[in-house]
Amino acid sequence: KELWAVPFGTTRYGHDGGNAGTRNNSGGDGPRSTPTIDGSRVYVLTSDLLLACFDAASGREIWKRDLVRENEGQNITWKNAASPLIDGDLVYVAGGGSGQALLGINKESGAVVWQTQDDKMTHATPAIGEIHGERQVIFFTQTGLVAVKPGNGEVLWRHPFRFSVSTAASPVIAGDIVYCSAGYGVGATAVRVSKSGGKYSAKELWRSSGNDLANHWSTPIHKDGYLYGMFQFKDYGEGPVKCVELATGKEIWSQKGFGPGNLILAGSQLVILSDAGELVLAEATPAKYTEKARFQAVSGKCWSTPALADGVIYVRSTREGAAFDASSKLSRQ
């Protein structure tokens, strides 16, 4: 049942690099990003780089900021697909122009708290975590990984990573290791972040080129030293879910039949949504692929990520949305 709706206009994507049109629109229309919920507010970064905050109960607009008009924003092919990252009092987004490519914005007012760097944006949502006891926001830009202090945007460290066409999966932070990946033949890498004399550095542990360890737009999840995710590129229908050792890049197991869908972690289980709308529960273990349940959840194409709340799994496709009670199926570990 719809509680409220706020129109933002419709973005249509063509084959001409993200401009309005309908040619070869196999990816579907916008908005391509997921709202971020923080307390009683909902934050949205649209495909046209409009950042807005709403009251979650009523849909009332609290504030909005046009990154193109107010921050000299520069959009990219297929337009924005990143979500706002919220931590503490700030919202973190990329997409501004020179000197303000990375932004820390007050979540209460929409005012810019800090702005920095010249990096061109990608489709990847930034990530946040603690490395060596210090909280860091990691942006995945067209130059590579950029880690900054949350409070003031000071750059702590960088690591170069090749850009080609689109970078869409977010960085994964696991202790002092940060993993990143992209499709279009780019591949993946993991770096170990060190700190000495108050200075950070990042050393590459391994790098894989090509598409065998590529994450096109689906960010893998980390558990106990292993990554689980859609390691594939445009392998529609049959692409595998894989388990990969984080520190080495070694493929532990691979199970075909999912396509470029998405997965999340629920306790010790993977909640997987295939690109054809099958919902699958499997064990998150490096021992072997162990499937616990599978059924056709929705019809239509699923390039979206399943969500889990209070034992209910929510999924959507280009045609349908659905909710399923999985409380009896999910482990509590």
Side-chain angles (χ1 to χ4, degrees):
K1 180 181 178 181
E2 184 177 291
L3 298 179
W4 54 263
V6 177
F8 262 126
T10 301
T11 298
R12 294 186 177 277
Y13 299 81
H15 192 57
D16 52 357
N19 297 320
T22 56
R23 298 197 312 271
N24 192 23
N25 195 24
S26 59
D29 292 330
R32 280 175 169 54
S33 64
T34 303
T36 302
I37 298 172
D38 181 70
S40 62
R41 294 185 174 188
V42 178
Y43 297 80
V44 178
L45 183 61
T46 73
S47 53
D48 290 315
L49 295 177
L50 180 64
L51 178 65
C53 171
F54 300 95
D55 177 73
S58 66
R60 176 181 60 87
E61 182 183 294
I62 298 173
W63 58 260
K64 65 181 177 183
R65 183 175 195 88
D66 188 333
L67 300 188
V68 173
R69 182 173 57 84
E70 299 178 66
N71 298 97
E72 301 178 357
Q74 301 173 7
N75 219 327
I76 52 177
T77 301
W78 300 309
K79 301 193 176 183
N80 174 68
S83 298
L85 171 68
I86 297 176
D87 187 69
D89 296 329
L90 300 186
V91 182
Y92 304 97
V93 293
S98 179
Q100 50 188 330
L102 313 179
L103 295 159
I105 295 172
N106 185 282
K107 70 179 183 181
E108 299 294 331
S109 66
V112 172
V113 175
W114 57 257
Q115 56 191 29
T116 187
Q117 306 302 302
D118 299 327
D119 295 65
K120 292 183 178 180
M121 66 179 288
T122 66
H123 296 110
T125 299
I128 191 163
E130 278 199 9
I131 302 177
H132 297 293
E134 184 170 11
R135 205 146 180 81
Q136 306 181 14
V137 179
I138 301 180
F139 291 88
F140 196 5
T141 72
Q142 291 187 28
T143 59
L145 299 173
V146 187
V148 306
K149 287 186 177 182
N152 60 16
E154 178 188 337
V155 174
L156 295 171
W157 57 271
R158 282 179 172 270
H159 187 77
F161 192 78
R162 184 167 72 89
F163 175 82
S164 176
V165 185
S166 171
T167 292
S170 295
V172 177
I173 305 169
D176 62 353
I177 297 178
V178 180
Y179 166 88
C180 66
S181 179
Y184 298 93
V186 175
T189 191
V191 299
R192 173 163 276 123
V193 180
S194 301
K195 186 178 183 181
S196 178
K199 300 290 185 180
Y200 285 93
S201 61
K203 182 179 180 181
E204 199 163 85
L205 293 174
W206 58 268
R207 182 180 288 253
S208 172
S209 60
N211 291 324
D212 286 345
L213 287 184
N215 304 118
H216 191 180
W217 57 70
S218 174
T219 303
I221 61 95
H222 168 259
K223 186 178 189 296
D224 300 332
Y226 296 90
L227 296 170
Y228 302 88
M230 272 62 181
F231 292 89
Q232 53 181 277
F233 179 72
K234 293 189 176 182
D235 195 354
Y236 304 114
E238 287 301 313
V241 167
K242 293 183 180 182
C243 171
V244 174
E245 189 174 43
L246 174 62
T248 65
K250 179 183 178 182
E251 181 181 304
I252 305 302
W253 55 253
S254 177
Q255 181 71 28
K256 293 183 70 67
F258 294 92
N262 281 276
L263 60 77
I264 59 174
L265 182 68
S268 62
Q269 293 183 90
L270 305 173
V271 179
I272 310 168
L273 181 63
S274 77
D275 67 346
E278 283 189 303
L279 191 59
V280 179
L281 299 182
E283 292 295 329
T285 173
K288 63 178 181 176
Y289 176 79
T290 303
E291 194 168 295
K292 310 297 289 186
R294 177 190 291 256
F295 69 99
Q296 189 70 41
V298 288
S299 62
K301 180 169 59 183
C302 296
W303 288 1
S304 55
T305 306
L308 174 66
D310 298 325
V312 178
I313 298 173
Y314 299 86
V315 298
R316 69 172 179 85
S317 71
T318 51
R319 299 177 184 173
E320 299 179 307
F324 302 93
D325 182 359
S327 55
S328 63
K329 297 288 187 180
L330 297 174
S331 66
R332 302 302 184 199
Q333 298 179 23

